[in-house]
């Protein structure tokens, strides 16, 4: 018989989820995303996930295997990038539903559940992540699944409930290592606020299950010299001051209404009424602190915020004022519209570029890949069979996935991240077309003769992380060694 921890009175009185309105919100999110899902095109990371998935392994230098495996399966279906985007939309749908479930676990009734669900649906960090398929969207889904399952396990106290939380945690570790911040936060939260739970087997069995699921990736990293640690150090060094990350997370990635909801949630969790769920506050503080200390990207900690959204929604519901009944739907709706305009490909590309100037938008990095590949193919046709070496994985992925339909049959390689781990490309090193953000001075380290053939541009005069003013196609000849000799200096992490 499963052992139980005696639940609190508040935990016993958990309302049922208001499924119909919650599913309506989640369905609206899915419809909006689906309407523009493939309007611009692939994102560079989506190319990369598919290509890494085609190299089956228990890990890669920059990520665990779950998202690449899913990307490979989706890319095998007809429809180009659309099957991948449907996976992203499914993750967004799940996030909205789980946000409502989490509010219910905190004692929230219908209104609190709808506010919590709408906050996640309108949050810019969630909208932007759902515009493309990648580790971030799956990460957000699994963080929310762990939060909701942990709240449920604390209420029920059964071993099966704890094992469900452990299952989600293990899957999260096989998707993105940043979920470790959540698990550390939960452990600290239980030690500080629910220490008695740790005298029962449930949390420990959940931890063992999560570790067993993550073990293949851990062993892969250990056998390959812990590339995940090296990659984390590289990314941390690129982010600049950690002090700039927290304001960006709170203002740019959440929006003013959600910021108010965060404050209300934190206040509730500090009061007596929120005491059984105060561990959620510890989780949020831990995740944001770890992000700041490690100088991680600001959106890494975004999945910790729905716990405060849910607590804030319960507080709003408890206040039960007529004014707030009108203000919150309007405020969240307006935030959602702004998030859609910035995070989804709904605007003409020139307008979207103007709107996001100085902010940056991943959605603009999905534009122009077909034209980009066409420019490279036009040059490669003059050098049949010549190896193409790209400056990053986005270019290599685009040429590999989109190139064949343009008539490209040249071998393609790169030294960037997992491509560098896989080794030199097939084909001769005597004559190579080097494509992307290279400089002649850099290429002269490896080839004596370097000739710029043509610049690379995006349509409509745009530029993004892939195509900037220095992007070009170079013909490189007279190598300073074989591919094997040059490879240690050509491969890189970033």
């Amino acid at each position: 018989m499963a052992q139980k921890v005696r639940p609190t009175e508040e935990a016993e009185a958990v309302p049922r989820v208001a499924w119909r309105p919650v599913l309506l919100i989640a369905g609206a999110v899915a419809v909006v995303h689906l309407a523009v899902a493939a309007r611009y095109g692939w994102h560079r990371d989506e190319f990369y996930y598919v290509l890494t998935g085609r190299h089956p392994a228990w890990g890669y230098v920059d990520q665990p295997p779950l998202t690449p495996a899913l990307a490979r399966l989706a890319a095998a279906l007809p429809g180009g990038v659309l099957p991948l985007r449907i996976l992203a939309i499914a993750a967004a749908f799940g996030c909205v539903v789980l946000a409502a479930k989490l509010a219910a676990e905190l004692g929230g009734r219908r209104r609190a559940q709808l506010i919590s669900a709408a906050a996640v649906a309108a949050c810019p960090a969630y909208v932007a992540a759902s515009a493309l398929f990648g580790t971030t969207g799956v990460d957000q889904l699994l963080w929310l699944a762990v939060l909701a399952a942990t709240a449920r396990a604390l209420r029920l106290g059964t071993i099966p409930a704890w094992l469900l939380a452990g299952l989600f945690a293990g899957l999260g570790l096989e998707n993105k290592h940043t979920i470790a911040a959540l698990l550390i936060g939960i452990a600290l939260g239980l030690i500080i606020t629910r220490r008695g739970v740790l005298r029962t087997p449930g949390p420990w069995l959940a931890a063992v299950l999560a570790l067993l699921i993550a073990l293949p990736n851990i062993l892969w990293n250990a056998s390959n010299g812990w590339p995940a640690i090296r990659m984390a150090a590289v990314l941390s060094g690129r982010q600049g001051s950690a002090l700039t990350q927290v304001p960006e997370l709170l203002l740019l990635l959440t929006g003013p209404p959600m910021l108010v909801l965060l404050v209300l949630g934190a206040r509730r969790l500090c009061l007596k009424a929120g005491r059984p769920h105060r561990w959620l506050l510890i989780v949020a503080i831990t995740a944001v602190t770890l992000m700041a200390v490690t100088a991680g990207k600001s959106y890494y900690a975004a999945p910790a915020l729905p716990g405060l959204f849910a607590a804030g929604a319960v507080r709003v519901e408890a206040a039960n004022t007529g004014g707030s009944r009108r203000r919150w739907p309007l405020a969240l709706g307006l935030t959602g519209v702004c998030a859609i305009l910035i995070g989804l490909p709904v605007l003409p590309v020139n307008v979207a570029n103007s709107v996001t100037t100085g902010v940056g938008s991943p959605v603009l990095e999905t534009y122009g890949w077909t034209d980009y590949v066409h420019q490279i193919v036009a040059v490669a046709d003059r050098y049949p069979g010549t190896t193409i070496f790209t400056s990053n994985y986005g270019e290599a992925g685009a040429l590999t996935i989109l190139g064949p339909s343009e008539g490209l049959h040249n071998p393609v390689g790169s030294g960037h991240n997992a491509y560098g781990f896989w080794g030199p490309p097939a084909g001769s090193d005597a004559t190579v077309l080097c494509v992307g953000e290279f400089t002649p001075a850099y290429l002269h380290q490896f080839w004596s003769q370097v000739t710029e053939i043509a610049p690379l541009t995006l349509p409509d005069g745009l530029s993004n992380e892939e195509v900037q003013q220095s992007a070009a196609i170079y013909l490189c000849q007279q190598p300073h060694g074989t591919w094997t000799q040059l490879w240690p200096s050509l491969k890189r992490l970033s």
Side-chain angles (χ1 to χ4, degrees):
M1 181 180 296
Q3 298 187 30
K4 285 190 175 184
V5 177
R6 179 175 175 80
T8 65
E9 291 182 4
E10 181 172 326
E12 288 176 336
V14 169
R16 298 180 65 179
V17 175
W19 287 113
R20 181 174 297 179
V22 168
L23 291 177
L24 283 175
I25 294 174
V29 168
V31 168
V32 170
H33 280 75
L34 189 59
V36 294
R39 185 180 180 193
Y40 286 176
W42 291 73
H43 188 272
R44 59 193 177 90
D45 287 349
E46 289 171 320
F47 291 129
Y48 185 52
Y49 296 135
V50 172
L51 268 297
T52 50
R54 291 178 183 175
H55 292 77
W58 280 112
Y60 305 95
V61 296
D62 45 5
Q63 61 196 315
L66 180 58
T67 289
L70 293 174
R72 178 188 181 184
L73 293 174
L77 300 173
V81 74
L82 184 58
L84 279 82
R85 299 289 167 79
I86 290 175
L87 285 179
I89 294 168
F93 186 99
C95 286
V96 173
V97 172
L98 286 169
K101 172 61 176 172
L102 182 58
E105 289 293 341
L106 271 59
R109 298 182 298 278
R110 184 178 186 274
R111 186 165 177 239
Q113 294 170 25
L114 297 185
I115 291 175
S116 182
V120 167
C123 180
Y126 282 79
V127 173
S130 304
L132 52 100
F133 178 69
T135 55
T136 300
V138 178
D139 192 46
Q140 291 173 347
L141 176 66
L142 290 170
W143 278 56
L144 259 166
V146 173
L147 288 172
T150 300
R152 178 175 176 269
L154 286 168
R155 173 172 59 88
L156 297 177
T158 63
I159 289 178
W162 277 108
L163 290 178
L164 182 63
L167 171 64
F168 291 138
L171 291 174
L173 289 169
E174 288 287 9
N175 173 69
K176 193 174 174 71
H177 294 132
T178 52
I179 201 173
L182 168 66
L183 304 182
I184 293 171
I186 290 175
L188 291 175
L190 296 182
I191 291 171
I192 295 171
T193 69
R194 303 290 293 271
R195 191 173 304 172
V197 174
L198 298 177
R199 292 193 288 269
T200 67
W204 301 102
L205 292 174
V208 170
L209 177 59
L211 182 61
L212 288 175
I213 295 173
L215 188 59
N217 180 248
I218 295 172
L219 294 176
W220 182 91
N221 267 280
S223 63
N224 288 281
W226 299 102
I229 296 176
R230 299 200 306 272
M231 189 71 204
V234 170
L235 291 176
S236 177
R238 292 177 58 193
Q239 296 309 309
S241 172
L243 297 178
T244 65
Q245 300 290 309
V246 176
E248 180 181 329
L249 170 68
L250 296 178
L251 296 177
L252 180 61
L253 300 183
T254 59
M258 268 71 78
L259 184 57
V260 173
L261 206 58
L262 291 176
V263 173
L264 293 176
R267 288 182 61 185
R268 175 175 175 80
L269 294 174
C270 289
L271 298 174
K272 182 179 179 180
R275 183 176 180 181
H277 311 292
R278 197 168 294 165
W279 61 275
L280 286 168
L281 181 59
I282 307 298
V283 166
I285 293 172
T286 301
V288 173
T289 300
L290 288 175
M291 177 272 296
V293 169
T294 61
K297 295 180 180 179
S298 57
Y299 63 82
Y300 285 176
L305 302 182
L308 299 186
F309 289 165
V314 174
R315 183 174 176 85
V316 170
E317 182 181 61
N320 196 32
T321 60
S324 69
R325 288 180 179 274
R326 295 185 295 271
R327 288 194 300 268
W328 278 104
L330 178 61
L332 292 174
L334 289 175
T335 301
V337 169
C338 293
I340 289 169
L341 292 176
I342 294 174
L344 297 183
V346 298
L347 298 173
V349 67
N350 286 325
V351 177
N353 186 53
S354 299
V355 169
T356 59
T357 298
V359 176
S361 174
V363 74
L364 287 177
E365 295 175 18
T366 69
Y367 184 75
W369 280 110
T370 300
D371 185 80
Y372 185 80
V373 170
H374 183 75
Q375 295 172 66
I376 299 171
V377 172
V379 173
D381 283 344
R382 292 149 48 187
Y383 303 93
T386 299
T387 300
I388 299 176
F389 183 76
T390 72
S391 63
N392 61 55
Y393 62 64
E395 298 152 350
L399 291 170
T400 303
I401 292 175
L402 302 182
S405 65
E406 295 281 334
L408 181 69
H409 301 292
N410 301 54
V412 176
S414 179
H416 190 202
N417 288 8
Y419 278 92
F421 183 83
W422 296 330
S428 172
D429 50 30
T431 299
V432 178
L433 289 173
C434 291
V435 172
E437 290 292 317
F438 291 120
T439 64
Y442 173 81
L443 294 174
H444 273 299
Q445 298 177 46
F446 310 101
W447 291 274
S448 293
Q449 185 173 331
V450 176
T451 305
E452 181 175 338
I453 297 178
L456 284 168
T457 60
L458 282 175
D460 304 305
L462 299 179
S463 64
N464 59 27
E465 187 169 337
E466 300 301 330
V467 183
Q468 300 179 20
Q469 291 183 353
S470 59
I473 304 172
Y474 298 89
L475 179 66
C476 299
Q477 297 172 302
Q478 300 177 17
H480 298 166
T482 64
W483 276 125
T484 302
Q485 292 169 329
L486 299 176
W487 201 245
S489 298
L490 282 170
K491 65 181 183 179
R492 65 186 181 87
L493 297 177
S494 69

